[in-house]
Amino acid sequence: MGILSKVNVVRRSLMRNLTKNIGKSNTEQGITLVNRNDIKRVLICRPNARLGNLLLITPFVQELEETFPNCKIDLFVKGSLAPVIFQNYGQISRIIELPKKPFSNLLKYFSVWISLKKYKYDIAINVDQGSSSGRLATQFSNSKFKFFGDLPFSANLYYGDYAHIAKYPIYHFRDYLTKLGFEKKDSTIAPLDLKLNSHEIAAGKKTLENLVENTNKTICIFTYATGAKCLSESWWEDFYANLKAEYKNYNIIEILPIENVSQIGFKAPTFYSKHIREIGAVIANADLFIGADSGIMHLSSAVLTPTVGLFSVSKLKKYEPYDNNSIGIDINNFSKKDYFRVFDTILNNGKSAIYYKAI
């Protein structure tokens, strides 16, 4: 571990200890908001720069848009990806961006924090209850109501999908709103959504057609992931050989990561781009996406393509793709036969892919 990594570990530990009690005593009992239209401005705090973590708050944004149709939403994030991800969300007003590398730009880093005080909010929301920076931003904001995400709520007793990182904040927020006088909401939580427009999807279709040069159905694979989530080259080469043998009448293309590497030695036709929406548009025109737990896996889910997430070390129930006949599978408990049963079910537009979680 490098010096900078060690500094970040110490920094995160220190921040957690300093902020763990922020919001613990915050209660909003007995307060009634007469009309949901009174909520005009909301702040979402998710100071994280990773593609997957930002895509995972798109269901929360959709929840707010539906619950408060007249509100404007500001996002407090890190890095420069959020404007790209949320460009087609009509109620997003302002995106407050912390620099991705704060130690390299301390002046901007502190000025962004100070800017939180410039606007008044009706509600400030910390999306991730474990985020010390999110807690601090929510506390620091100039907001009438502050939601820190860790209410004493036993949602896990009522919802089987409570553990998912995109869902449990919404279940908690719905419970919080009942304490502000709103009715209980039990509707299905929205999927991740990049909100590609028709022009983007058409461009992605043309790119894919130029790549495969036929009209066969297409399976996208993504062979890279960070750290221990990255499966070995030998695992992927064996998997790819079996996939080709099983699906001879399908196109199989590899989406390449920003690092421009391939765990199968570039044996499949490849697509490379540094533009998230362009990558998403290509995946949106595929019939199935297969990849390890990564930001690109969440991108596939967010363009509503049936997605199979391959999990080996990370928590499946917390990060697995959902909706659109998508599923996460634990490769430690699956045989090759099991893989193809899952793929067949999805490619045949079956409704029973959820069954294979129990294998």
Side-chain angles (χ1 to χ4, degrees):
M1 184 183 293
I3 294 176
L4 186 57
S5 296
K6 291 179 180 178
V7 170
N8 280 327
V9 169
V10 173
R11 177 184 61 81
R12 292 190 187 101
S13 178
L14 180 62
M15 284 292 289
R16 287 193 187 99
N17 287 329
L18 290 174
T19 61
K20 63 183 179 180
N21 291 319
I22 289 178
K24 295 291 186 180
S25 61
N26 185 67
T27 56
E28 312 284 2
Q29 302 291 340
I31 302 171
T32 301
L33 300 181
V34 176
N35 193 317
R36 69 182 65 247
N37 293 325
D38 292 339
I39 303 298
K40 300 294 186 183
R41 187 172 288 273
V42 176
L43 174 68
I44 294 179
C45 298
R46 188 62 169 111
N48 191 288
R50 293 183 179 180
L51 172 63
N53 285 331
L54 292 173
L55 287 168
L56 285 162
I57 67 172
T58 58
F60 209 128
V61 174
Q62 294 172 73
E63 177 83 6
L64 290 174
E65 288 180 332
E66 181 181 336
T67 304
F68 306 118
N70 294 325
C71 83
K72 293 295 183 182
I73 302 168
D74 289 358
L75 302 179
F76 181 71
V77 296
K78 184 183 287 187
S80 57
L81 277 179
V84 176
I85 292 170
F86 292 96
Q87 71 178 43
N88 289 336
Y89 278 79
Q91 288 179 235
I92 296 292
S93 176
R94 219 172 37 119
I95 298 179
I96 308 162
E97 301 172 32
L98 284 170
K100 190 174 181 179
K101 297 181 179 179
F103 293 117
S104 301
N105 201 336
L106 285 174
L107 184 61
K108 182 180 179 181
Y109 182 78
F110 288 114
S111 67
V112 171
W113 275 97
I114 292 170
S115 71
L116 280 177
K117 287 292 189 183
K118 290 184 179 179
Y119 290 83
K120 291 183 178 180
Y121 296 99
D122 297 300
I123 302 178
I125 299 165
N126 173 41
V127 175
D128 181 5
Q129 60 186 353
S131 170
S132 54
S133 296
R135 284 182 176 278
L136 197 59
T138 303
Q139 179 68 18
F140 190 64
S141 67
N142 187 6
S143 180
K144 184 177 181 181
F145 302 115
K146 298 179 179 182
F147 171 70
F148 293 92
D150 52 3
L151 293 173
F153 172 50
S154 298
N156 57 312
L157 299 177
Y158 303 100
Y159 303 101
D161 56 358
Y162 168 77
H164 201 283
I165 192 171
K167 296 184 177 184
Y168 74 74
I170 296 175
Y171 287 132
H172 278 268
F173 186 67
R174 288 177 176 180
D175 187 63
Y176 172 81
L177 289 181
T178 65
K179 302 181 189 318
L180 299 183
F182 287 86
E183 70 278 5
K184 180 70 173 178
K185 187 176 181 181
D186 288 310
S187 58
T188 302
I189 290 175
L192 279 63
D193 197 350
L194 189 64
K195 289 189 180 292
L196 292 173
N197 61 38
S198 59
H199 298 291
E200 291 174 310
I201 293 173
K205 182 179 181 181
K206 185 175 181 180
T207 298
L208 184 59
E209 288 174 346
N210 290 337
L211 183 63
V212 300
E213 298 182 337
N214 62 55
T215 58
N216 295 343
K217 291 184 177 181
T218 296
I219 298 171
C220 285
I221 60 174
F222 184 74
T223 66
Y224 186 74
T226 56
K229 295 185 293 184
C230 191
L231 302 174
S232 68
E233 290 184 4
S234 60
W235 189 96
W236 270 111
E237 287 175 353
D238 181 64
F239 178 84
Y240 176 62
N242 282 281
L243 194 68
K244 277 208 314 178
E246 189 73 21
Y247 297 105
K248 295 177 181 178
N249 296 324
Y250 283 76
N251 302 306
I252 301 174
I253 68 166
E254 182 179 8
I255 304 296
L256 295 175
I258 191 72
E259 294 84 358
N260 198 21
V261 296
S262 168
Q263 296 294 90
I264 58 171
F266 300 95
K267 292 176 182 176
T270 60
F271 176 74
Y272 179 82
S273 175
K274 293 182 179 180
H275 303 287
I276 294 303
R277 300 188 73 86
E278 188 174 69
I279 299 169
V282 170
I283 297 174
N285 284 280
D287 298 276
L288 175 64
F289 173 95
I290 306 167
D293 176 25
S294 66
I296 299 297
M297 180 198 75
H298 293 301
L299 179 66
S300 173
S301 187
V303 297
L304 313 182
T305 292
T307 300
V308 176
L310 306 174
F311 287 75
S312 56
V313 293
S314 47
K315 297 178 180 178
L316 187 150
K317 288 187 177 181
K318 186 174 183 179
Y319 295 108
E320 67 178 329
Y322 67 93
D323 274 11
N324 304 301
N325 214 19
S326 296
I327 187 174
I329 59 178
D330 183 347
I331 68 164
N332 300 303
N333 298 325
F334 269 61
S335 67
K336 291 174 185 175
K337 183 184 295 185
D338 292 330
Y339 290 137
F340 294 112
R341 288 169 64 195
V342 172
F343 304 154
D344 287 345
T345 301
I346 295 173
L347 290 170
N348 292 327
N349 296 315
K351 299 296 184 181
S352 59
I354 194 75
Y355 162 78
Y356 295 102
K357 290 184 182 180
I359 292 177

